[in-house]
């Protein structure tokens, strides 16, 4: 397993290099520059700023210089957040994004698995259709629509919850729910489909024929097998929730990485955008690797040779 993990990590290096290269040139193709929003500066000061941040060098030279910095774990200084490096900004926002995304995924797994199993045990009943219909709505409506609706109804009109900020459980509730709802729908549908298939399999019939209690048959055999597709989904989904909380963080004013990314893109803060994209790329690769390793532990048929 260790050699497999090392091979996967080494294989991720070209992927990260491609991500870095494409992002580097795309960011610089965007119109405007990092200092265009400032008040009109004397030409000499603009030249000095460009020289300090090496923006006066040819693009290939800037690329090679940045590549060398990243290889040493240095994402460079932020163009807009004075006296802060990109690494400092990422590490200041990551705990918040991780808490937001991790809580949302935990909520999605618990509720989605329960709803999916519940619907599978009552297949084709009214309850099954209601759960799956709600799940389809959860998938079809994106969270940048759900979040403002929740804010408007629960925060503005009813005044039950705060509409912004981060720190208390009341402030966490709306963004976590808005982020978790689509994932609840996906997990419920996957759990239901997998569990229906397993309930008709031979080993479940054998367990019932041996007289095992129905509760033991469902929880120990059917549900465990039904969770395998969910586990394989959790890796990219967790990474997507943590990295995809950009809109939610912006709507609720949460000081996470996503908010830095949006501000960096608007301000043409090249190094901040590059640093966040590379960090997200590393996260996605690591989460996928963790899930692949966990999948082997759950299913003995999986080999790493």
């Amino acid at each position: 397993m260790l050699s497999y993990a090392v091979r996967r990590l080494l294989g991720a290096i070209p992927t990260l290099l491609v991500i870095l290269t494409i992002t580097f040139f795309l960011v610089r193709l965007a119109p405007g520059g990092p200092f265009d929003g400032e008040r009109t500066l004397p030409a000499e000061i603009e030249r000095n700023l460009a020289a300090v941040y090496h923006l006066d060098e040819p693009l290939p030279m800037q690329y090679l210089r940045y590549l060398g910095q990243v290889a040493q774990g240095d994402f460079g200084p932020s163009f807009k957040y004075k006296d802060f490096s990109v690494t400092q900004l990422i590490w200041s926002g990551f705990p918040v994004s991780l808490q937001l995304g991790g809580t949302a995924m935990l909520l999605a797994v618990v509720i989605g698995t329960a709803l999916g199993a519940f619907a599978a045990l009552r297949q084709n009943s009214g309850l099954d259709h209601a759960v799956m219909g709600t799940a389809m709505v959860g998938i079809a409506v994106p969270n940048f629509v759900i979040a403002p609706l929740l804010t408007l109804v629960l925060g503005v009109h009813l005044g039950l919850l705060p509409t912004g900020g981060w720190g208390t459980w009341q402030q966490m509730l709306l963004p976590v729910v808005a982020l978790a709802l689509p994932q609840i729908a996906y997990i419920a549908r996957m759990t239901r489909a997998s569990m229906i298939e397993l309930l008709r399999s031979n080993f479940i019939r054998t367990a019932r024929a041996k007289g095992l209690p129905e509760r033991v048959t469902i929880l120990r055999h059917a549900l465990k097998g039904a969770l395998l597709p969910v586990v394989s989904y959790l890796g990219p989904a967790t990474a997507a929730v943590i990295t995809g909380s950009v809109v939610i963080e912006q709507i609720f004013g949460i000081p996470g990485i996503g908010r830095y990314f949006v501000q960096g893109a608007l301000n043409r803060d090249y190094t901040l955008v590059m640093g966040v994209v590379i960090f997200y790329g590393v996260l996605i690769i690591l989460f996928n690797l963790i899930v692949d390793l966990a999948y082997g532990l759950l299913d003995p048929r999986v080999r790493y040779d």
Side-chain angles (χ1 to χ4, degrees):
M1 182 181 290
L2 181 61
S3 62
Y4 172 78
V6 172
R7 286 200 306 272
R8 285 284 302 272
L9 289 175
L10 291 176
I13 294 176
T15 305
L16 288 174
L17 185 60
V18 170
I19 293 172
L20 185 151
T21 304
I22 293 175
T23 310
F24 180 89
F25 289 102
L26 280 180
V27 166
R28 280 161 175 76
L29 283 176
F35 306 112
D36 288 357
E38 306 284 350
R39 60 184 180 182
T40 304
L41 298 173
E44 185 178 355
I45 294 179
E46 287 188 0
R47 283 196 299 272
N48 289 337
L49 282 172
V52 167
Y53 291 105
H54 306 288
L55 297 175
D56 56 343
E57 296 176 349
L59 207 53
M61 182 65 73
Q62 293 182 42
Y63 171 72
L64 292 176
R65 181 186 296 280
Y66 186 74
L67 199 61
Q69 288 180 342
V70 172
Q72 299 173 31
D74 179 14
F75 292 131
S78 168
F79 290 174
K80 289 295 179 182
Y81 294 90
K82 305 301 181 189
D83 301 325
F84 285 96
S85 68
V86 172
T87 306
Q88 289 174 318
L89 292 174
I90 289 176
W91 284 116
S92 69
F94 179 61
V96 177
S97 295
L98 183 65
Q99 188 180 14
L100 172 62
T103 309
M105 278 310 296
L106 181 63
L107 185 70
V109 170
V110 172
I111 297 179
T113 303
L115 287 178
F118 204 55
L121 293 173
R122 290 161 177 76
Q123 187 185 3
N124 296 327
S125 66
L127 194 60
D128 179 24
H129 294 311
V131 170
M132 288 302 101
T134 307
M136 282 301 298
V137 173
I139 293 173
V141 182
N143 53 22
F144 61 79
V145 175
I146 294 174
L149 285 176
L150 291 176
T151 303
L152 193 64
V153 175
L154 298 177
V156 177
H157 289 302
L158 299 179
L160 298 176
L161 293 168
T163 58
W166 187 257
T168 65
W169 70 267
Q170 293 94 339
Q171 292 172 322
M172 290 176 61
L173 195 56
L174 284 182
V176 166
V177 169
L179 199 56
L181 281 178
Q183 300 305 323
I184 291 174
Y186 281 116
I187 292 174
R189 288 184 62 81
M190 276 192 296
T191 305
R192 175 186 178 274
S194 179
M195 197 155 176
I196 286 175
E197 184 180 348
L198 283 175
L199 287 174
R200 294 169 179 166
S201 60
N202 291 332
F203 75 94
I204 293 294
R205 292 196 190 97
T206 303
R208 284 171 171 161
K210 286 183 176 180
L212 277 181
E214 186 67 10
R215 179 177 58 83
V216 176
T217 304
I218 296 298
L219 293 179
R220 186 178 299 174
H221 299 289
L223 187 58
K224 182 180 176 183
L227 287 179
L228 286 176
V230 176
V231 170
S232 63
Y233 171 74
L234 285 182
T238 304
V241 165
I242 293 175
T243 59
S245 58
V246 173
V247 177
I248 297 295
E249 290 179 8
Q250 191 68 17
I251 291 174
F252 291 99
I254 298 172
I257 298 181
R259 197 174 181 200
Y260 284 132
F261 179 78
V262 173
Q263 293 301 323
L266 292 175
N267 294 326
R268 301 292 185 270
D269 193 339
Y270 297 154
T271 50
L272 181 55
V273 173
M274 292 287 301
V276 173
V277 169
I278 295 170
F279 186 73
Y280 279 165
V282 171
L283 273 186
I284 291 171
I285 289 170
L286 285 180
F287 276 118
N288 279 290
L289 175 60
I290 291 171
V291 166
D292 286 346
L293 296 178
Y295 201 80
L297 296 176
L298 292 173
D299 189 348
R301 293 172 298 179
V302 176
R303 294 286 184 270
Y304 297 109
D305 300 331

